[in-house]
Amino acid sequence: MPLNDLLATVKQHPGIQQKTAIQTAGRILAQGFACCDYPNGDDAAVIKTASGYELLATEGFMPQFVHTDPWFAGWCGLMVNISDIAAMGGSAVAVVNSIWGKRDDRSRQVLQGMVDASHVFRVPIVGGHTNLAGEQTQLAVSILGRANRILSSFTARAGQQLVVAIDLRGEYRQPFLNWNAATTAPPERLRGDLSLLPYIAENNLATAAKDISQAGILGTCVMLLESSGVGASIRLQDIPKPAAVEWQDWLCSFPSFGYILATDSVKLPALLKLFADRDISAAHIGNISHDKTFKVSHGGRTEIFWNIGSEVLTGMSARMNLNEKIC
């Protein structure tokens, strides 16, 4: 597929287009938020404390996903929240959940998936809200985390290098484009992989990071660049990808372990080695620029995927003081 057609197709992916709903929520909710010490609207909200930072995040799940794969939805309730905390340079403390459904096997599978993930990631479920008199199974999970130093979407700078790190040791969990490298992996390996992000933050190996979301690799890049008010040029062929997967699918995929990071040139070798030492595929894919365009190159061609200066995705910027997410 020609590059311009590929990028046009990816740009219309629902995972990206649904992020525009954040604009509406942001305009309304911003009226009720006082100024904070740290700009929120990131993978997690940041609350400064005397000893560091507390992190708060939440995830709601599409009813179709919960209906089709209830156990994995429950598992993801913890996994994606823990990943959001890690993306901010933090470690998860505990989660609470809200589940609406029936007294049936689907609800039991959702709950069991949460319990199984809790044991694997060693993050306790400490409360929540349950209603089993509903007509449709619905799930939302919220998480508390802590960090000593913050990685954020608001701190990427022109002149820095853009890095993508993804665990390719997995496969798609049908029927969705969810790249699952987690449920069959050794628990201690999963926990060790996640601990890389707090280590990166505390050792200043990156200044900005974002968890690859349902918006996929390119959509998540746009969110990071938009928040920081910068642009970037990347090389498509340098993005880590399973050999048998087509670009159109991969760029719209949600990986169980996937992060985009911004780092200085001098820190780049150490950052890449950190991931390589744990057999996680990481690569320098491009450079961050003052030019507020997001350009993608491949096969001798370069196309603009997103004009950060004139196209709004989430509307998040450093002046916003809220944590509102649509996944």
Side-chain angles (χ1 to χ4, degrees), residues 155-178:
T155 48
R157 302 187 303 268
Q160 289 189 310
Q161 315 305 305
L162 207 58
V163 170
V164 169
I166 304 176
D167 189 349
L168 299 183
R169 297 165 291 184
E171 60 184 4
Y172 282 120
R173 188 173 176 105
Q174 301 297 333
F176 305 104
L177 290 176
N178 293 324

Side-chain angles (χ1 to χ4, degrees), residues 19 22 38-46 55-59 80-90 141 143 150-154 197 208-214 220 223-224 227 254 258-260 316 322-327:
K19 295 292 183 182
I22 297 175
Y38 196 89
N40 287 319
D42 216 323
D43 283 308
V46 180
L55 305 172
L56 287 173
T58 191
E59 294 281 350
V80 299
N81 269 302
I82 294 168
S83 184
D84 281 341
I85 295 297
M88 300 293 294
V141 180
I143 190 166
I150 295 295
L151 295 171
S152 173
S153 297
F154 296 99
L197 279 301
K210 197 157 187 67
D211 172 44
I212 297 174
S213 71
Q214 293 287 351
T220 303
M223 290 192 291
L224 187 152
S227 293
F254 172 74
Y259 297 90
I260 296 166
M316 290 291 114
L322 67 153
N323 178 50
E324 178 67 19
K325 293 168 32 177
I326 305 292
C327 296

Side-chain angles (χ1 to χ4, degrees), residues 30-63:
Q31 301 173 41
F33 284 76
C35 291
C36 302
D37 294 327
Y38 196 89
N40 287 319
D42 216 323
D43 283 308
V46 180
I47 302 170
K48 188 172 177 54
T49 68
S51 58
Y53 302 92
E54 290 188 343
L55 305 172
L56 287 173
T58 191
E59 294 281 350
F61 293 87
M62 296 181 295

Side-chain angles (χ1 to χ4, degrees), residues 19-32:
K19 295 292 183 182
T20 61
I22 297 175
Q23 298 176 40
T24 301
R27 283 192 295 269
I28 298 171
L29 293 178
Q31 301 173 41

Side-chain angles (χ1 to χ4, degrees), residues 193-235:
D193 291 348
L194 284 165
S195 70
L196 290 177
L197 279 301
Y199 180 87
I200 289 168
E202 291 166 16
N203 288 275
N204 199 28
L205 293 178
T207 61
K210 197 157 187 67
D211 172 44
I212 297 174
S213 71
Q214 293 287 351
I217 296 167
L218 299 186
T220 303
C221 281
V222 171
M223 290 192 291
L224 187 152
L225 298 173
E226 182 180 54
S227 293
S228 292
V230 293
S233 297
I234 69 167
R235 302 170 296 275

